[in-house]
Amino acid sequence: MPPLARRPLLLALLTATSAPALPLSKEWDASGVRYLELTAENAREQHPVRISPGQPTNLLFNAPLQPGGVTVEGEQWVDVAVNGKLGMVMLLPSGTLPEDKPLTVKVRFADGQVPESVTFLLVEHSTRAEHLVRVYRETRSCEPHWLESRQQRERAERCEAELEQERSRPEGSRPVELTDLFDAGLVGEGKGVVGQNIFDSITQRPGETLKVLAAWSYRAVRQGHVAVELKVENTGPLPWTAEGAELVSKEGVRLRVGRVWQPKTIAPGAQRRLAVEAEAPVEQTQGTFILELSGPGGTHSLTVSEVTFPRDGAEENRRPTRVLLPAAGRP
């Protein structure tokens, strides 16, 4: 058997069946044996073990140890002897331990079961060291442990996703209903929001970062607002986020833009919808307009010409209602 200890004295103490060769102090607490039950739940903790300079402390396990699997943090102050086959570790402090640096011993097991290792925190006492600590290890195979860890990780990921979704949701939010438009003043007294498809009539400057795939315009009659909605594709190499917009008529009338709606940043190659809302009475939104959008840093990204907005619908409301009567002779 190859030598298992750094000192012959340590090996002799580790393999001897008789009483330790070193004289024991009367104050040294060597009368009892402490039992430690090691489970997968408490294996991550640091288990304290009391040691004293010049007095051996033995750790006895019910499982073989991994070759080279015993490491000591601060080995210059503690000598170690290991019999991995028998599951035995002896600790012999060589002198006064440093007060500012905690010393630990990590022991790894050889059978691949869980728990795979245990860590002890060495606590110095001038005379009352622990003579023997018997460690009983409750094992289970790695496969159930791996499966349980994966299930716990999946549960944690689901919880994080739900929390993130909850954080992004406005407080007290609920599905929008048609009657909410009455509360917002967008619908009432036969007036509401009218829209139209303007894709066939608009033109776009060639070679721009954003390519328009579809276009609509809207008018909120009661509120006096208009909006332009675009479906665009980012043809550039970088993500794109709108930072500004202008709506100007051919006569130079500049509408007051209130908001640029863009739910997500548009990644390269992605297609997304965005909208620009402006305040304008009906008389200011006659004719055609030019929409200009600027991206990160105020760089110009998109120009759409020939933008028009729907009429207010008053003409439709003034038309007489046609009533169809049944033909003669029909019931």
Side-chain angles (χ1 to χ4, degrees):
M1 176 182 297
L4 300 177
R6 299 195 305 169
R7 294 185 180 182
L9 175 61
L10 285 177
L11 181 60
L13 288 173
L14 184 61
T15 57
T17 57
S18 59
L22 293 178
L24 304 182
S25 169
K26 293 181 179 180
E27 297 180 358
W28 180 39
D29 184 13
S31 59
V33 178
R34 181 160 69 93
Y35 292 88
L36 172 63
E37 185 176 356
L38 184 64
T39 64
E41 288 71 26
N42 67 6
R44 297 180 181 180
E45 303 174 8
Q46 291 188 348
H47 302 274
V49 173
R50 193 169 64 244
I51 60 175
S52 297
Q55 303 289 358
T57 294
N58 297 281
L59 308 175
L60 183 60
F61 302 88
N62 65 334
L65 309 181
Q66 184 182 107
V70 178
T71 55
V72 181
E73 190 72 27
E75 58 182 0
Q76 62 268 39
W77 290 284
V78 181
D79 290 311
V80 182
V82 180
N83 188 324
K85 185 176 180 180
L86 298 178
M88 300 175 64
V89 177
M90 176 186 289
L91 307 174
L92 183 62
S94 57
T96 303
L97 303 182
E99 297 180 357
D100 58 342
K101 183 178 182 180
L103 302 183
T104 58
V105 177
K106 186 171 185 177
V107 179
R108 296 178 176 84
F109 301 103
D111 54 11
Q113 301 288 312
V114 176
E116 299 177 347
S117 64
V118 60
T119 301
F120 299 95
L121 177 64
L122 305 183
V123 181
E124 183 183 13
H125 191 280
S126 58
T127 55
R128 301 179 67 83
E130 293 187 87
H131 173 58
L132 177 62
V133 178
R134 301 181 70 96
V135 181
Y136 177 76
R137 172 173 166 254
E138 292 185 355
T139 61
R140 55 181 175 177
S141 65
C142 288
E143 184 174 352
H145 178 68
W146 173 84
L147 181 60
E148 180 181 349
S149 298
R150 188 185 69 176
Q151 292 173 343
Q152 291 178 350
R153 184 171 63 253
E154 290 176 350
R155 285 196 297 267
E157 290 175 353
R158 286 196 299 268
C159 290
E160 289 179 1
E162 291 174 0
L163 286 174
E164 183 62 29
Q165 184 178 4
E166 195 67 27
R167 292 191 195 101
S168 61
R169 180 182 302 168
E171 184 176 355
S173 64
R174 58 177 176 82
V176 177
E177 299 176 352
L178 180 59
T179 52
D180 292 330
L181 300 179
F182 291 92
D183 294 332
L186 296 175
V187 172
E189 298 178 347
K191 297 181 180 180
V193 178
V194 290
Q196 65 182 11
N197 191 324
I198 59 173
F199 180 68
D200 292 337
S201 61
I202 63 172
T203 59
Q204 179 184 0
R205 182 182 299 173
E208 294 182 316
T209 302
L210 299 182
K211 179 182 179 181
V212 178
L213 304 178
W216 303 266
S217 65
Y218 303 89
R219 181 189 302 277
V221 179
R222 289 172 55 87
Q223 198 178 29
H225 283 199
V226 293
V228 181
E229 179 188 6
L230 302 176
K231 181 180 180 182
V232 298
E233 179 182 358
N234 183 3
T235 63
L238 300 174
W240 189 90
T241 303
E243 291 193 0
E246 289 188 346
L247 268 168
V248 184
S249 71
K250 289 187 175 181
E251 292 76 22
V253 177
R254 192 179 304 271
L255 303 186
R256 182 179 178 183
V257 174
R259 180 189 177 192
V260 178
W261 175 80
Q262 181 183 349
K264 293 183 179 179
T265 297
I266 308 176
Q271 299 178 7
R272 291 286 187 271
R273 291 164 51 231
L274 57 87
V276 178
E277 180 180 358
E279 300 177 14
V282 175
E283 56 271 17
Q284 288 187 359
T285 55
Q286 305 299 321
T288 60
F289 287 78
I290 299 174
L291 171 63
E292 293 185 353
L293 281 170
S294 57
T299 57
H300 177 80
S301 300
L302 176 65
T303 301
V304 178
S305 303
E306 306 300 326
V307 174
T308 60
F309 297 100
R311 297 182 178 182
D312 62 2
E315 293 85 350
E316 295 293 333
N317 292 335
R318 288 193 291 267
R319 288 180 182 178
T321 303
R322 295 175 59 192
V323 180
L324 297 180
L325 300 176
R330 294 184 180 178

